Amino acid sequence: MKLLSIFIAFFSFLGLATAQGSQMPVVACSPTGAGVCNFGVAGLVQGNSVTWNWARIYNNNCQEIGGANGVFVNYLPIDITSSLPHVLTLGGLSYSNYNWMAFRYNGWLFNGTPYCKRTTMPGGSVIHTCQKAFNC
């Protein structure tokens, strides 16, 4: 927990996050076509695992339209609201199998291997992001 506090303080200093760590430090989205949105998650890499801190829903132009903050793995499933007409339910993330996710939107299940990447931030912290497109 102390490492998470240091991480949040670091990004607050840089202006990339508030004191609560509500801003996702990197965007987990790629532009898509009409009617296709992206769901992205991001977390701090700690050894061989990821502590998931942010989840965001993006429209087809990668504009943020909803999201949630927190360490999700312990509280799944969680509903994530947005400006879309339905709630997205995040049902699966893992500390150790960090290249897998599962969520539901409008009766559809989206699971499996999303597109993931790691970004080294100023100061050396490593952020792991994953994203998956879905019909919205």
Side-chain angles (χ1 to χ4, degrees):
M1 200 56 159
K2 182 175 172 65
L3 183 58
L4 181 58
S5 298
I6 292 168
F7 174 75
I8 291 169
F10 172 73
F11 282 107
S12 296
F13 174 76
L14 291 177
L16 297 173
T18 66
Q20 290 79 29
S22 63
Q23 289 297 112
M24 200 156 118
V26 291
V27 174
C29 182
S30 298
T32 59
V36 179
C37 294
N38 266 284
F39 177 61
V41 294
L44 181 64
V45 176
Q46 298 174 327
N48 291 328
S49 65
V50 175
T51 300
W52 299 104
N53 299 304
W54 302 276
R56 295 293 182 266
I57 300 171
Y58 301 96
N59 67 14
N60 64 322
N61 293 315
C62 291
Q63 295 170 319
E64 186 178 311
I65 58 173
N69 300 315
V71 182
F72 306 117
V73 176
N74 298 333
Y75 303 105
L76 295 175
I78 61 167
D79 290 338
I80 301 173
T81 59
S82 69
S83 61
L84 295 174
H86 305 283
V87 171
L88 184 146
T89 301
L90 175 59
L93 280 174
S94 171
Y95 286 117
S96 58
N97 184 10
Y98 41 78
N99 290 327
W100 179 87
M101 72 165 66
F103 63 93
R104 289 186 178 275
Y105 181 77
N106 193 21
W108 290 90
L109 173 64
F110 301 88
N111 67 1
T113 305
Y115 170 74
C116 299
K117 69 178 183 177
R118 290 189 175 189
T119 303
T120 302
M121 305 304 291
S125 297
V126 179
I127 304 295
H128 190 81
T129 58
C130 293
Q131 68 187 59
K132 193 156 186 72
F134 66 98
N135 295 331
C136 60

